[in-house]
């Protein structure tokens, strides 16, 4: 069996996902094909994964494929393709996504999922993923494409609507959502045997229901405890708790993400909200700089002292592969097309995040029904941007980019229409050849 990792220069993530596969008996004899366009980063990943492979008993083999000219061979015959690319990298493209909007007074925290930064990231990335899909349709048409790259709903939604490749989008937040909530609120005694239902869209999935092992609804007690957390000046996750207070439900992704998915918290006319809600402006660039520095130190340590032991993580990828290969069912929270209205009050062309059963026949999304009206409304403010951005990528028409940015909750609430259009033009120009041409 062949497992191909696209963007294998994402060394830490490649190590985690492929390391998970090496810890799994049904997967460890595979060929692990590493693909990237950066030779130095690809070599680092190969070095680490080869050391890990030997430490895990020498099963399987590592192969590497450098550059676009070798992409098709990297994919040929693959059963699973894991995607973790970052088109344009931190430098220059992430820097551009933050610095150009600042000239208009538009501040961001992460800028990889929604907002003007998320729109630009999608427009850079969709053409590359479309190329992946065309190659896969030729050399591994039955492979399952496991997408980890953001903006999740835009990229996965494009693949699901406009290619023939079976695609599921995977995030890290669903599997730790209720656990983190209960731990933060001092309700650890309710963790074991709890039951939960999470559905919505990526990074704004809603914890719709949570019960303890005896079937007791935990939301009443959760709601009693949130005000004290919001009042704590040191607590960092305040936006999500404010969601509970105002919309009735907790959501899957962190507050630094959700602070920029709406029109409520990052506002030029209310600068005091930044401090009140502990909103880390420019968080993603800081994180990138720190991760790059940390990785250099970690890589040097690995070369000096050898590979660290790896234990299987909670990332979905290896568990999905194992379920397909062994036909032992496994449940995930997956990002899939809303076919047949899995969520009845969201559009069918939206990419939604719902419980999915995985077995030997693939990935089977579960019907959820209607979200609470306010939750669906919040999701729709994001879905509008996602669908328009996909149309912009598909048609190469700049008017759809303008409309996506105009309807983005944060951008539209801060800038005028003329400012938004000028910002879009400036960003396209600044990205240069990283961005396709638009009419």
């Amino acid at each position: 069996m062949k497992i191909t990792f696209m963007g294998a220069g994402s060394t830490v993530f490649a190590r985690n996902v492929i390391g998970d596969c090496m810890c799994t008996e049904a997967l460890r004899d595979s060929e692990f094909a590493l693909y990237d366009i950066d030779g130095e980063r690809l070599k680092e990943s190969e070095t680490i994964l080869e050391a890990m492979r030997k430490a895990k008993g020498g099963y399987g083999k590592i192969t590497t494929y450098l550059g676009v000219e070798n992409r098709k061979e990297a994919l040929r015959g693959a059963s699973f393709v894991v995607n973790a690319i970052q088109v344009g990298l931190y430098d220059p493209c992430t820097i551009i996504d933050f610095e150009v909007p600042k000239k208009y007074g538009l501040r961001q925290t992460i800028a990889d999922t929604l907002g003007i930064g998320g729109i630009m990231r999608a427009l850079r990335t969709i053409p590359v993923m479309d190329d992946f899909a065309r190659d896969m349709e030729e050399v591994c048409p039955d492979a399952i494409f496991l997408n980890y790259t953001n903006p999740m709903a835009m990229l996965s939604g494009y693949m699901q609507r406009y290619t023939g490749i079976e695609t599921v989008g995977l995030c890290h937040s669903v599997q730790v959502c209720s656990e983190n909530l209960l731990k933060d609120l001092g309700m650890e005694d309710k963790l074991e045997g709890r039951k939960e239902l999470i559905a919505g869209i990526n990074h704004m999935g809603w914890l719709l229901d949570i019960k303890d092992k005896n079937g007791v609804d935990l939301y009443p007690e959760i709601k009693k405890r949130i005000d004290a957390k919001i009042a704590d000046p040191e607590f960092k996750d305040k936006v999500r708790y404010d969601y509970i207070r105002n919309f009735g439900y907790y959501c899957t992704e962190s507050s630094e993400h959700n602070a920029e998915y709406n029109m409520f918290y990052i506002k030029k006319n209310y600068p005091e909200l930044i401090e009140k809600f502990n909103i880390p402006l420019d968080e993603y660039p800081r994180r990138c700089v720190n991760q790059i520095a940390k990785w250099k130190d970690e890589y040097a340590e690995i070369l000096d002292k050898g590979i660290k032991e790896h234990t299987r993580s909670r990332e979905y990828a290896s568990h999905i592969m194992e379920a397909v290969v062994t036909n032992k069912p496994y449940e995930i929270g997956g990002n899939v097309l809303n076919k047949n209205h899995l969520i009845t009050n969201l559009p069918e062309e939206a990419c939604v995040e719902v419980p999915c059963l995985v077995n030997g026949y693939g990935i089977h999304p579960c019907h959820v029904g209607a979200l609470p009206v306010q939750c669906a409304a919040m999701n729709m403010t994001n879905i509008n941007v996602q669908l328009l951005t996909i149309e912009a990528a598909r048609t190469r028409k700049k008017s759809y980019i303008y409309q996506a940015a105009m309807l983005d909750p944060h951008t539209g609430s801060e800038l005028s229409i003329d400012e938004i259009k000028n910002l879009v033009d400036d960003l396209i120009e600044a990205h240069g050849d990283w961005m396709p041409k638009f009419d």
Side-chain angles (χ1 to χ4, degrees):
M1 185 169 66
K2 184 175 181 179
I3 298 168
T4 299
F5 198 108
M6 310 298 283
S10 304
T11 308
V12 174
F13 191 62
R15 180 185 64 189
N16 289 342
V17 169
I18 295 178
D20 288 350
C21 295
M22 292 176 179
C23 292
T24 308
E25 186 175 354
L27 307 173
R28 65 187 184 185
D29 277 323
S30 300
E31 174 188 351
F32 301 104
L34 311 180
Y35 169 82
D36 208 282
I37 61 172
D38 185 320
E40 181 179 352
R41 297 288 296 272
L42 183 62
K43 185 63 178 177
E44 289 177 356
S45 290
E46 180 188 19
T47 300
I48 287 169
L49 288 168
E50 185 60 39
M52 183 181 292
R53 187 185 71 82
K54 290 176 180 176
K56 288 293 182 184
Y59 296 98
K61 67 177 180 177
I62 306 290
T63 55
T64 59
Y65 299 84
L66 175 64
V68 174
E69 64 274 17
N70 292 307
R71 185 178 65 208
K72 196 175 291 187
E73 287 309 307
L75 292 165
R76 190 176 302 278
S79 298
F80 302 96
V81 178
V82 180
N83 183 55
I85 62 172
Q86 184 181 0
V87 177
L89 303 175
Y90 162 67
D91 188 358
C93 287
T94 295
I95 295 172
I96 291 169
D97 285 343
F98 275 84
E99 294 304 315
V100 174
K102 281 183 189 177
K103 297 176 183 177
Y104 291 80
L106 189 65
R107 303 298 301 275
Q108 300 171 97
T109 52
I110 305 294
D112 74 346
T113 293
L114 207 73
I116 194 66
I119 292 168
M120 292 297 132
R121 183 179 280 234
L123 295 175
R124 296 194 299 270
T125 309
I126 286 175
V128 177
M129 287 178 57
D130 187 73
D131 287 343
F132 290 178
R134 302 311 157 200
D135 284 351
M136 290 177 67
E137 286 166 353
E138 180 181 341
V139 301
C140 58
D142 298 323
I144 297 177
F145 189 79
L146 308 177
N147 179 50
Y148 276 101
T149 298
N150 284 325
M152 179 62 64
M154 299 186 202
L155 304 184
S156 301
Y158 178 88
M159 293 287 286
Q160 289 152 357
R161 290 171 64 192
Y162 295 114
T163 79
I165 299 301
E166 182 178 0
T167 300
V168 63
L170 304 175
C171 191
H172 324 279
S173 54
V174 173
Q175 54 267 60
V176 298
C177 173
S178 65
E179 178 181 337
N180 289 346
L181 174 64
L182 295 177
K183 286 181 176 179
D184 280 344
L185 292 176
M187 297 172 65
E188 292 93 341
D189 60 315
K190 304 299 182 184
L191 285 168
E192 186 177 354
R194 72 192 184 281
K195 305 174 185 70
E196 63 186 41
L197 174 62
I198 295 174
I201 60 172
N202 179 243
H203 285 190
M204 199 187 280
W206 302 99
L207 181 61
L208 298 171
D209 194 39
I210 180 166
K211 294 182 172 68
D212 70 12
K213 61 185 178 182
N214 299 314
V216 176
D217 184 4
L218 295 179
Y219 257 126
E221 183 60 29
I222 289 169
K223 290 176 180 178
K224 287 179 185 177
R225 301 190 184 203
I226 60 172
D227 285 345
K229 299 298 289 187
I230 294 174
D232 179 358
E234 300 301 317
F235 187 58
K236 302 297 185 184
D237 209 14
K238 295 186 180 187
V239 168
R240 285 202 285 179
Y241 282 64
D242 206 43
Y243 275 12
I244 300 175
R245 189 159 62 182
N246 290 292
F247 295 99
Y249 297 90
Y250 187 66
C251 95
T252 49
E253 190 49 75
S254 62
S255 289
E256 64 264 26
H257 276 275
N258 270 276
E260 64 184 4
Y261 297 165
N262 53 66
M263 63 290 284
F264 306 128
Y265 302 103
I266 306 174
K267 300 176 78 68
K268 285 180 291 191
N269 291 338
Y270 298 90
E272 68 274 10
L273 294 176
I274 302 302
E275 182 177 354
K276 178 180 178 181
F277 288 98
N278 272 340
I279 295 170
L281 296 172
D282 297 324
E283 170 65 15
Y284 189 62
R286 267 194 306 278
R287 198 175 289 179
C288 289
V289 171
N290 291 337
Q291 285 176 342
I292 291 167
K294 182 181 177 182
W295 169 244
K296 289 180 179 178
D297 292 341
E298 186 176 348
Y299 185 60
E301 183 181 354
I302 289 170
L303 292 179
D304 181 45
K305 298 181 180 179
I307 192 69
K308 296 176 180 177
E309 180 61 26
H310 179 81
T311 55
R312 195 177 188 185
S313 76
R314 296 170 70 176
E315 293 289 355
Y316 283 139
S318 70
H319 296 279
I320 291 171
M321 298 179 205
E322 182 182 31
V324 172
V325 170
T326 65
N327 197 29
K328 292 179 181 177
Y330 186 77
E331 183 183 322
I332 66 168
N335 290 272
V336 296
L337 205 60
N338 194 31
K339 281 184 181 177
N340 301 316
H341 279 114
L342 301 166
I343 298 178
T344 55
N345 51 350
L346 295 181
E348 281 197 302
E349 62 267 29
C351 180
V352 295
E353 194 166 68
V354 296
C356 300
L357 175 70
V358 187
N359 61 18
Y361 288 94
I363 297 159
H364 312 281
C366 299
H367 178 83
V368 173
L371 299 180
V373 173
Q374 71 276 21
C375 296
M378 283 284 283
N379 285 166
M380 278 306 306
T381 66
N382 287 222
I383 289 170
N384 293 332
V385 181
Q386 294 161 2
L387 296 182
L388 282 163
T389 304
I390 289 172
E391 285 305 292
R394 185 181 69 86
T395 65
R396 303 289 171 90
K397 292 187 180 297
K398 193 186 292 185
S399 59
Y400 286 124
I401 311 177
Y402 293 151
Q403 291 162 6
M406 288 158 57
L407 289 171
D408 174 67
H410 178 42
T411 307
S413 68
E414 292 282 81
L415 304 182
S416 70
I417 288 177
D418 287 342
E419 287 175 317
I420 290 169
K421 289 182 176 180
N422 289 336
L423 171 58
V424 167
D425 291 343
D426 286 351
L427 280 164
I428 291 173
E429 181 179 1
H431 282 301
D433 291 340
W434 289 109
M435 192 78 73
K437 304 304 179 187
F438 294 92
D439 299 328

